[in-house]
Amino acid sequence: MIRGRALQFLRRVAAIVEKDIAAELHSKEVVSAMLVFSVVALMIFSFALDLRGEMAEAAAPGVLWATVVFAGTLGLSRSLAREQQSGGMEGLLLAPVDRSAIFFGKAAGNFVFMGVVEVALLPLFSALFDVPLLRADVLLVLVLGTVGYAAVGTLLAAMAVNTRAREVMLPVLLLPLAVPVLIGAVQATRGLVEGATLAEVGSWIRILVVYDLVIVAVSLLTFGSVVEE
Amino acid sequence: MGRWRRDEGDVVLLAASGVAVMAALGMVFLYAPREATMGDVQRIFYFHVASAWVGFFAFFVTCVAGVGQLVTGARRWDMVSLSSVEVGLTFITMTVITGSLWARPVWGTYWTWEPRLTISAVQLLIYVAYGMLRASVESPERKARYGAVYGIVAFVTVPLSWFAIRWWRTIHPDILTGGEGMAITPRMTLTLVVAVGAFTLLYAAVLRLRVSLERARDRLTRVRLNLERR
Amino acid sequence: MIEARNVTKSFGPRTALAGVDLSIAEGELVTLVGPNGAGKTTLLRILATLSRPSSGTVRIGGLDASRDGERVRAEIGFLSHQTLLYDELTGEQNLRFYARMYEVASDRARIGEVLERVGLGMRRHDRVETLSRGMKQRLAVARAVLHHPRLLLLDEPYSGLDAEAADRLTDLLVELGRERRTILLATHRLGRGVSVGQRVLILHQGRVVYDQPRGAIELPGFAQLYRAMTSQEP
């Protein structure tokens, strides 16, 4: 009985993710916006901070995550705005679907979009900063950081999209809450790049994991209150 | 409406906090000893820590009020929430300013990435974001709901940010600060406790006044609407 | 099918519904008319469980709407003035998505069936953004009936439709009505509304002020009655 419900839940989450991917494959607006912005941001960081040689290496993890975080706000806004367009969110709420399935579906979709952009950025960063970033442990940190960020970002974007300021509201709301991710992910990445093992950057990984668990739980619990009237 | 005590409570609390703040001032300037390394400037520390504590406590109250709002939907929780944010914002601003004033003569710079100061700056930004969120939403029902959710989620990240910042600072200690370098005596501890208590009382008093203001606003809106209907 | 008792809804100090009692039996085709701001959309949204009433109870198909939301929603088809369709996806993709959300059995066949029903079989692989307003509305109807709902709630379905499209919609609704589905249609367009429904209700300033079977109404007189009722103060 419970297994049946769990499968049903997963099927619905999968349906939402697939729907988002299908829409994105046509319009490509979320991923392309994030990618273009990331490349531009990268260039601006390089010019503004005069990143060369050793400075570039030291700055790489920070610039990477700053870019991911800012580009993420774009993607999250667009993704939730798409639901708002012709009342898609209403359509979701009308269905006999648990609100948490809607949350997981949207958050997972956002995670996928951010992930695609991040994976595309890594080789670019590795080349530009002359830092080997295409490694499994760095990817793990990327995943851990993105999970929490996508989760709370989905929750806050669902609110932001209904405000007067719309897209502009999201970074204001989201960024102060992303401090643990930013610090944890950057420090972990830096440690790994400088030769530490995963165990040695363990305390940062722990912060990311705790953050992910707590923030996903809280977002899940409050998402219903955000989308329902 | 009957759940709130009436104006007598407001007056008592205000008087009590007035007395407490006077006492704290007295203690800070007369009772607490002159600090060995930093001199009289160090006395700002009491207000800095006290307002930092209140800033955080106000945030906690906002979070609890948010939960109350989501669970019951009663207007009074929302009033407490937004009032606490406003008052808390004031205290957190005081924290940042006193921290900055303290940093300058002692460490030669207006800003250090010292954990308490940094986390206060983060909380300040969150408070401001909360205010912007509410201002950007038309419907009062949504204002309350969104405010509640943000208050809860944001508060939950603060302890995590605190730890992250602290660990970050211990591996990259400021060459300028390198720890607080204060010698704490029992007299200082007592003064600190009194200062914290006084500020907390002040917070409670101002919070109640702010909530009363909000209730009066509600009544005014209701009266206006009734007049328009005729 | 619908049992609503003393439903109120307030948005802060503003009251949208001031105590609505509604009783609609299974298979009835009811039209709800009222001027803009009367509370029609609010009421329909509450019945569709999209919104919670400030007070009062709503029972749909014998189930409590606030407690058994999920089961109630499985029985409801909702048509809003928004299409609730994803513009970048095709008609078929949209219906396939909703079929999965509503767990519709043998969805391929069912999708083909409803598309034919609304006359969009030829356009199924076209993106929604390329369809005209009238076609979008028909696709929205297809979406609304995809899961065999026992109750259909229609909020201003005629908005933005030209006469021909509106006629086609009316025919569709009458057809659906004959299938023993319960239909509640809200509109501010008197002529269409009254011609479709078997029973007509007037909603004014958050209250039901008129409730008669259509047989008791002749159109010209009704228009005057409507004007009189909706300019009254409560």
Side-chain angles (χ1 to χ4, degrees):
Chain A
M1 185 61 203
I2 300 204
R3 216 169 133 253
R5 290 278 296 177
L7 280 176
Q8 187 189 55
F9 184 88
L10 283 173
R11 271 201 298 270
R12 291 191 164 132
V13 169
I16 296 177
V17 175
E18 282 178 42
K19 182 262 299 173
D20 273 338
I21 293 180
E24 181 60 19
L25 280 174
H26 169 63
S27 69
K28 303 177 191 60
E29 55 182 2
V30 173
V31 171
S32 60
M34 285 203 275
L35 264 176
V36 171
F37 175 86
S38 301
V39 174
V40 171
L42 178 55
M43 293 189 61
I44 292 184
F45 276 123
S46 303
F47 295 150
L49 300 177
D50 203 9
L51 294 177
R52 283 168 295 170
E54 244 179 43
M55 257 205 85
E57 268 185 57
V63 173
L64 173 66
W65 275 99
T67 308
V68 165
V69 158
F70 284 126
T73 60
L74 279 183
L76 289 162
S77 289
R78 287 268 80 234
S79 163
L80 265 299
R82 186 189 279 148
E83 290 298 340
Q84 225 215 6
Q85 244 173 345
S86 352
M89 184 56 90
E90 285 225 325
L92 287 172
L93 293 173
L94 278 167
V97 173
D98 205 329
R99 275 68 181 107
S100 48
I102 301 179
F103 173 71
F104 270 125
K106 292 303 293 179
N110 289 332
F111 174 79
V112 166
F113 294 145
M114 284 186 74
V116 165
V117 172
E118 286 164 10
V119 164
L121 283 178
L122 279 184
L124 186 62
F125 264 82
S126 301
L128 266 158
F129 289 93
D130 197 20
V131 171
L133 289 171
L134 272 170
R135 325 157 23 163
D137 44 10
V138 170
L139 274 167
L140 174 67
V141 173
L142 216 50
V143 166
L144 286 177
T146 309
V147 164
Y149 190 72
V152 72
T154 303
L155 175 75
L156 295 178
M159 285 198 280
V161 98
N162 285 319
T163 64
R164 265 199 291 261
R166 294 186 154 239
E167 265 112 70
V168 175
M169 189 90 257
L170 183 60
V172 169
L173 294 176
L174 179 56
L175 294 175
L177 273 53
V179 167
V181 172
L182 215 41
I183 296 183
V186 170
Q187 294 307 318
T189 310
R190 172 168 298 150
L192 289 173
V193 158
E194 285 170 3
T197 63
L198 268 179
E200 283 166 351
V201 295
S203 42
W204 303 116
I205 306 272
R206 263 195 296 276
I207 285 192
L208 289 177
V209 171
V210 171
Y211 182 87
D212 286 350
L213 290 172
V214 169
I215 216 84
V216 168
V218 174
S219 302
L220 203 57
L221 287 171
T222 52
F223 186 74
S225 306
V226 169
V227 291
E228 289 188 323
E229 297 286 309
Chain B
M1 290 300 149
R3 267 209 40 178
W4 299 109
R5 292 178 297 243
R6 289 195 324 263
D7 291 4
E8 295 92 54
D10 285 345
V11 174
V12 165
L13 205 48
L14 209 50
S17 58
V19 167
V21 169
M22 286 287 134
L25 275 170
M27 286 187 77
V28 165
F29 285 110
L30 304 170
Y31 176 74
R34 196 164 190 281
E35 211 271 338
T37 42
M38 295 182 234
D40 279 317
V41 154
Q42 181 273 340
R43 293 183 199 272
I44 210 174
F45 158 83
Y46 302 105
F47 299 114
H48 176 67
V49 174
S51 48
W53 152 253
V54 172
F56 177 75
F57 182 66
F59 208 157
F60 173 70
V61 169
T62 302
C63 178
V64 170
V67 175
Q69 163 68 27
L70 291 182
V71 168
T72 69
R75 171 84 177 124
R76 63 166 160 263
W77 289 112
D78 186 44
M79 288 197 262
V80 170
S81 205
L82 76 91
S83 305
S84 191
V85 165
E86 265 185 38
V87 181
L89 177 59
T90 319
F91 279 98
I92 272 289
T93 309
M94 273 202 281
T95 311
V96 172
I97 293 179
T98 52
S100 186
L101 288 176
W102 185 21
R104 181 75 172 132
V106 176
W107 293 303
T109 168
Y110 279 114
W111 184 263
T112 88
W113 288 107
E114 187 258 333
R116 187 170 43 244
L117 204 54
T118 310
I119 195 71
S120 299
V122 171
Q123 285 181 84
L124 183 95
L125 290 172
I126 297 180
Y127 274 133
V128 170
Y130 181 96
M132 284 185 69
L133 177 62
R134 288 189 73 107
S136 198
V137 174
E138 296 270 6
S139 132
E141 186 263 335
R142 225 178 223 176
K143 243 191 253 267
R145 237 182 333 125
Y146 282 8
V149 170
Y150 192 64
I152 296 171
V153 175
F155 178 74
V156 157
T157 66
V158 170
L160 289 166
S161 296
W162 168 247
F163 282 117
I165 293 172
R166 275 189 67 187
W167 288 345
W168 173 51
R169 292 329 287 151
T170 52
I171 64 165
H172 295 288
D174 246 308
I175 17 170
L176 299 164
T177 55
E180 270 179 343
M182 262 193 319
I184 311 247
T185 70
R187 279 185 134 196
M188 294 168 86
T189 316
L190 183 59
T191 311
L192 185 60
V193 168
V194 171
V196 169
F199 269 28
T200 311
L201 272 176
L202 183 61
Y203 161 76
V206 177
L207 180 69
R208 290 202 55 177
L209 286 175
R210 182 63 183 86
V211 172
S212 316
L213 173 63
E214 197 62 27
R215 275 183 16 236
R217 270 204 189 134
D218 257 17
R219 252 177 277 147
L220 179 61
T221 314
R222 238 189 302 267
V223 167
R224 267 216 193 105
L225 275 176
N226 279 334
L227 282 173
E228 270 166 23
R229 254 203 208 125
R230 290 190 201 298
Chain C
M1 189 72 210
I2 302 181
E3 285 290 331
R5 277 209 197 308
N6 206 22
V7 170
T8 68
K9 180 72 178 173
S10 307
F11 295 99
R14 188 173 64 87
T15 308
L17 294 177
V20 170
D21 288 304
L22 195 60
S23 204
I24 298 183
E26 185 150 12
E28 276 198 85
L29 213 179
V30 178
T31 305
L32 182 68
V33 293
N36 289 323
K40 304 189 299 296
T41 300
T42 311
L43 179 59
L44 250 65
R45 286 177 57 92
I46 289 179
L47 293 176
T49 76
L50 280 177
S51 188
R52 253 181 267 272
S54 304
S55 74
T57 56
V58 175
R59 297 188 77 82
I60 310 258
L63 297 166
D64 187 325
S66 47
R67 220 145 2 122
D68 291 309
E70 257 185 66
R71 289 167 67 195
V72 164
R73 284 194 288 271
E75 303 290 354
I76 296 179
F78 190 76
L79 204 68
S80 167
H81 41 267
Q82 282 183 307
T83 59
L84 274 56
L85 297 165
Y86 296 99
D87 285 331
E88 309 102 335
L89 300 178
T90 68
E92 167 119 21
Q93 282 174 318
N94 265 285
L95 291 180
R96 194 122 48 86
F97 172 66
Y98 279 108
R100 288 174 77 176
M101 296 305 276
Y102 282 91
E103 306 254 299
V104 175
S106 41
D107 54 329
R108 285 264 134 127
R110 178 67 185 153
I111 291 174
E113 198 186 314
V114 293
L115 280 171
E116 291 301 326
R117 188 77 179 282
V118 300
L120 285 173
M122 300 297 292
R123 305 291 306 266
R124 68 201 290 167
H125 293 300
D126 291 339
R127 298 190 196 283
V128 171
E129 55 199 355
T130 64
L131 301 178
S132 71
R133 167 81 190 154
M135 285 190 230
K136 280 187 194 170
Q137 197 70 319
R138 278 189 278 154
L139 188 60
V141 172
R143 175 194 51 74
V145 302
L146 189 64
H147 53 289
H148 303 281
R150 282 160 62 199
L151 171 63
L152 268 180
L153 299 168
L154 307 150
D155 188 8
E156 301 285 359
Y158 293 108
S159 66
L161 295 183
D162 60 27
E164 195 195 320
D167 281 336
R168 236 188 291 192
L169 183 62
T170 305
D171 292 338
L172 199 49
L173 291 180
V174 169
E175 231 182 271
L176 290 168
R178 271 189 246 131
E179 290 169 3
R180 284 221 65 230
R181 269 185 243 267
T182 314
I183 302 182
L184 176 59
L185 163 71
T187 181
H188 64 274
R189 291 168 67 163
L190 283 190
R192 292 232 170 246
V194 173
S195 62
V196 170
Q198 301 162 334
R199 188 174 142 201
V200 178
L201 275 69
I202 301 183
L203 192 68
H204 176 53
Q205 292 198 347
R207 262 183 241 277
V208 176
V209 295
Y210 180 89
D211 183 351
Q212 293 294 335
R214 204 218 315 165
I217 302 168
E218 355 93 39
L219 200 49
F222 181 72
Q224 226 175 356
L225 174 68
Y226 176 77
R227 259 195 300 278
M229 300 213 97
T230 56
S231 51
Q232 257 173 23
E233 292 303 322

